[in-house]
Structure formats: structure tokens, C-alpha cells
């Protein structure tokens, strides 16, 4: 969406929280007007490692995170919750790569602290594929704030994340850490969300203990394809919204859309929820 507004490809979207705040505000407003009850801060890649790789912005992690949270807070006011968005570091964890658990905890703690200081209502850790990185993000957040935590992982059509994590293992490992919500986001198309919800609900019931985390379904708008050098996703707003009653039936309580979606997709989802719940 930001690239459509002129953000150069390859440039860190988080920089616009300070340099083009009105563009970020306009997007927040578009999602609020579409009926979003939770909006995410423009900080998906706003951790020190990723910002450093995007043009040496690591030093500005806290400043960019706080600014992002304040922008979203000011637009949402009391009409929606603001989720402080934290995506993966983009670095492989030990033993596959150089990132130690302790270092990862510190990186996520720094980002979560800035988001909390900027006034978010919760922290949303998303698009995770490595269980250890997800754990590090949760631990880092819990070191600096007691805000509620949502955690969603990205699953492929084989029913696992890229790093081989199943929905059952994710629930068994992460839910006991004290999550408010758990589920799937992004991933390979929209159909992957169905086995994810079925497995996660069953694993939650088995794990016992209350309260159980709420279930999240935040799929991409279908699958991407290239058209004239542009990435297009193959599900329109109504096609995506048509899946919503099934997600609700399977126990999803937090429903949204990820890559390839637009405010029109969210508006269609909001209508579908109003029609089925
Ligand atoms: Zn996505």
C-alpha cells in the first residue's frame, strides 16, 4: 500500500512513520473506515536487525517504533485497538544461523518497549516460521511490558511453517507462555487457514487450562502472481470474505487479512462477520 503511495521499492516502510506520517495516517484511516477493530502499526520490519539491513537504520529503531505507535494511536483513538506489529528479524537462529536466543530476545524487547511507550494496546508478533524466534519475541515483550500478546505463524500448504512447525506444536509450545491470541497469518493462500484452525483448536482443548488464547485467522488475499512486473493476489474482497463464516465456525475470533489485501477486503470481511455472528 505504501509503495502505491510512492515508497521506493527496497526502502524501509518504517521510515515513513517519521518522514511521511500523513501517508501512514491515511492508510490507518482507510482501515478504520473499513471497519477494522484492531489496526497494526507500520513496524513489521521495525526491529534493529532488519532496519540496519535497510540502509543502516538500526540506530533509529526506538524512534521509529514510538512514532509508529503514536500515529496509529492518534488515528484509532478509542474506536479501535492498536496492535504493535513485530515481524521476524530475517536472520536464522542458532544452530542454523548466527542469531542466538538471547540476542533475539534483546532485539524484540527493544522494539516492544518502543511500541509500548508509543501507546499500543497489545503486541502482535506475526508471520513467524521459527518456533524459537517466536519464543524469543514473546520473552522479549514480556521483559518490558505486560500488554496482551498475539502471536501468529505463517503456514504453507503442507500444513507446516517454512521451518517445519505444525500448528499443534506451535500451540503446545507458545500458548503456555501466556498468549492472549494465537493463530495463522500470511501463508500460502487462504485454504491453509482451515487445517490450521482445526489443529490449533484441538491442541488448545487438549492442553487444558483456562483461559485459552483466542484463535487468529489472517490469511493472504489468495496466492500471488506477476502481471507486468507487479505482484497481484488472486482473491478479491468478496472471494476472501466468503471464507469468513467457515473461519468463525472453526473457532476463529480474530479475523483479518494479510498480503495482497486492501481496505476493501477488510470492509468485505467486516460485512461477512456482521452477517454471520
Ligand atoms: Zn502476509
Amino acid at each position: 500500500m505504501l509503495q502505491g503511495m510512492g515508497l521506493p521499492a527496497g526502502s524501509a516502510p518504517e521510515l515513513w512513520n517519521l518522514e511521511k506520517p500523513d501517508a501512514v495516517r491515511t492508510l490507518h484511516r482507510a482501515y478504520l473506515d473499513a471497519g477494522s477493530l484492531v489496526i497494526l502499526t507500520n513496524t513489521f520490519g521495525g526491529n534493529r536487525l532488519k532496519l540496519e539491513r535497510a540502509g543502516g537504520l538500526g540506530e533509529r529503531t526506538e524512534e521509529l517504533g514510538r512514532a509508529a505507535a503514536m500515529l496509529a494511536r492518534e488515528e484509532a483513538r478509542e474506536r479501535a485497538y492498536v496492535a504493535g506489529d513485530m515481524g521476524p528479524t530475517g536472520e536464522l537462529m542458532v544452530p542454523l544461523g548466527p542469531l542466538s536466543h538471547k540476542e533475539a530476545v534483546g532485539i524484540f524487547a527493544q522494539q516492544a518497549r518502543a511500541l509500548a511507550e508509543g501507546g499500543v494496546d497489545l503486541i502482535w508478533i506475526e508471520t513467524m516460521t521459527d518456533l524459537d524466534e517466536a519464543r524469543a519475541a514473546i520473552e522479549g515483550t514480556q521483559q518490558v511490558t505486560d500488554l496482551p500478546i498475539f502471536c501468529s505463524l505463517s503456514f504453507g500448504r503442507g500444513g507446516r511453517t517454512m521451518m517445519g512447525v505444525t500448528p499443534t506444536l506451535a500451540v503446545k509450545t507458545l500458548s503456555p507462555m501466556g498468549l492472549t491470541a494465537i493463530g495463522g497469518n500470511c501463508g500460502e493462500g487462504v485454504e491453509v487457514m482451515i487445517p490450521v484452525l482445526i489443529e490449533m483448536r484441538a491442541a488448545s482443548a487438549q492442553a487444558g487450562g483456562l483461559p485459552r488464547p483466542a484463535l487468529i485467522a489472517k490469511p493472504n488475499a489468495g496466492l500471488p502472481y506477476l502481471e507486468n512486473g507487479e505482484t497481484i493476489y488472486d482473491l478479491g474482497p468478496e472471494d476472501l470474505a466468503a471464507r469468513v463464516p467457515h473461519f468463525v465456525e472453526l473457532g476463529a475470533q480474530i479475523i483479518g487479512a494479510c498480503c495482497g489485501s486492501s481496505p476493501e477486503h477488510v470492509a468485505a470481511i467486516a460485512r461477512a462477520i456482521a452477517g454471520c455472528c
Side-chain angles (χ1 to χ4, degrees):
M1 300 284 307
L2 290 174
Q3 282 178 1
M5 296 168 92
L7 177 78
S11 162
E14 290 77 15
L15 203 50
W16 274 26
N17 296 323
L18 286 168
E19 292 188 347
K20 296 250 172 140
D22 288 342
V24 179
R25 283 179 190 278
T26 300
L27 276 189
H28 284 323
R29 274 201 299 276
Y31 283 98
L32 290 162
D33 292 344
S36 289
L37 299 176
V38 183
I39 60 168
L40 285 94
T41 56
N42 175 32
T43 53
F44 178 76
N47 61 73
R48 189 169 75 234
L49 277 188
K50 234 177 173 174
L51 287 173
E52 188 55 32
R53 276 196 303 273
L57 295 170
E59 293 275 284
R60 302 183 68 185
T61 301
E62 289 170 33
E63 181 193 6
L64 291 168
R66 265 194 306 271
M70 285 160 70
L71 286 180
R73 175 83 281 151
E74 281 170 24
E75 292 304 324
R77 294 190 302 273
E78 303 306 314
R79 68 199 261 231
Y81 292 107
V82 173
D85 192 17
M86 304 208 304
T89 61
E91 198 70 84
L92 287 171
M93 306 275 299
V94 169
L96 296 173
L99 187 62
S100 73
H101 183 82
K102 195 175 164 207
E103 200 186 346
V105 169
I107 283 163
F108 288 115
Q110 180 191 31
Q111 188 182 3
R113 187 189 301 111
L115 291 166
E117 282 170 4
V120 302
D121 299 301
L122 63 111
I123 298 291
W124 192 329
I125 298 157
E126 65 168 347
T127 323
M128 287 286 159
T129 60
D130 182 328
L131 211 47
D132 193 31
E133 188 172 15
R135 279 177 46 226
I138 296 167
E139 280 175 46
T141 302
Q142 288 171 337
Q143 279 184 4
V144 296
T145 175
D146 53 11
L147 287 174
I149 302 175
F150 292 11
C151 182
S152 52
L153 294 92
S154 173
F155 294 93
R157 273 182 286 191
R160 292 169 182 262
T161 71
M162 199 172 65
M163 304 300 283
V165 180
T166 61
T168 301
L169 183 63
V171 167
K172 285 191 173 156
T173 310
L174 304 177
S175 288
M177 296 181 76
L179 295 176
T180 298
I182 190 167
N185 81 286
C186 211
E188 222 177 333
V190 70
E191 309 303 341
V192 293
M193 215 46 78
I194 288 161
V196 167
L197 290 171
I198 293 171
E199 254 198 66
M200 283 196 167
R201 184 154 76 160
S204 266
Q206 258 177 22
L210 289 169
R212 284 178 200 144
L215 282 179
I216 299 166
K218 184 171 172 280
N220 290 340
L223 290 163
Y225 61 94
L226 275 178
E227 195 175 86
N228 303 323
E230 212 187 321
T231 308
I232 315 269
Y233 281 77
D234 67 357
L235 279 193
E238 297 307 328
D239 294 327
L240 183 59
R243 268 72 171 189
V244 163
H246 196 190
F247 294 161
V248 172
E249 206 181 288
L250 294 174
Q253 290 169 284
I254 295 159
I255 298 175
C258 198
C259 300
S261 67
S262 62
E264 289 72 37
H265 287 84
V266 169
I269 289 171
R271 282 194 299 273
I273 290 173
C276 76
C277 308

